[in-house]
Amino acid sequence: KYYPPDFDPAKIPKLKLPKDRQYVVRLMAPFNMRCKTCGEYIYKGKKFNARKETVQNEVYLGLPIFRFYIKCTRCLAEITFKTDPENTDYTMEHGAMRNFQAEKLLEEEEKRMQKEREEEELNNPMKVLENRTKDSKLEMEVLENLQELKELNQHQANVDFEAMLKQYKELEEEQRRKEQE
């Protein structure tokens, strides 16, 4: 391309794009959901052509939050969800209902139990000691179980399968001789 000697790139007018511009992207459904209109199940990993936009006036620690628009595979109803960087997840907005996720509930329960334990330990020094003894007992049990498993594996490793097969063949021959007699 030819650029004349008096070319000035500053004179080129800049494109003025709107802040809430939507892009078409290809994405996978981030979780299992069920359409509220027709009841169709949309499974995690199903691919969609979605519209993506940046949510206005919402940021988390400087990270922009994105909203995605997809269409139900059966009834073409619009389903929207957005990113949730605080919980490293997605939140359902409307058009569908998020299906039950046991893993997420279990994770939340573990966090809650850990938080309760920490609060309890802050207020009660005896509870700290009790928890330490429980943890050490549990650790000792785990180590004992691991040692037993190692011993069992060593015992099984010493089994001579060739000798076992030979002994089995000898027993079969013995039974055949008895039957013939």
Side-chain angles (χ1 to χ4, degrees), residues 114-129 131-132 135:
Q114 185 68 23
K115 194 178 279 186
E116 283 179 7
R117 182 176 171 173
E118 287 174 1
E119 288 175 6
E120 207 172 61
E121 286 179 354
L122 284 173
N123 299 333
N124 191 351
M126 284 302 287
K127 199 66 177 174
V128 174
L129 189 61
N131 287 339
R132 281 186 188 162
D135 290 344

Side-chain angles (χ1 to χ4, degrees), residues 20-38:
D20 58 346
R21 184 174 178 209
Q22 291 186 345
Y23 299 92
V24 175
V25 293
R26 182 89 170 157
L27 63 79
M28 291 181 168
F31 46 78
N32 296 330
M33 57 186 119
R34 186 172 181 203
C35 178
K36 286 183 179 175
T37 311
C38 65

Side-chain angles (χ1 to χ4, degrees), residues 2-8:
Y2 173 72
Y3 291 103
D6 61 335
F7 176 73
D8 185 15

Side-chain angles (χ1 to χ4, degrees), residues 8-10 16 35 63 75-76 139 141 146 152 172 178:
D8 185 15
K16 295 200 167 72
C35 178
L63 296 171
C75 68
L76 299 177
E139 190 176 336
E141 288 176 14
L146 185 63
L152 280 172
E172 276 187 342
K178 287 181 181 177

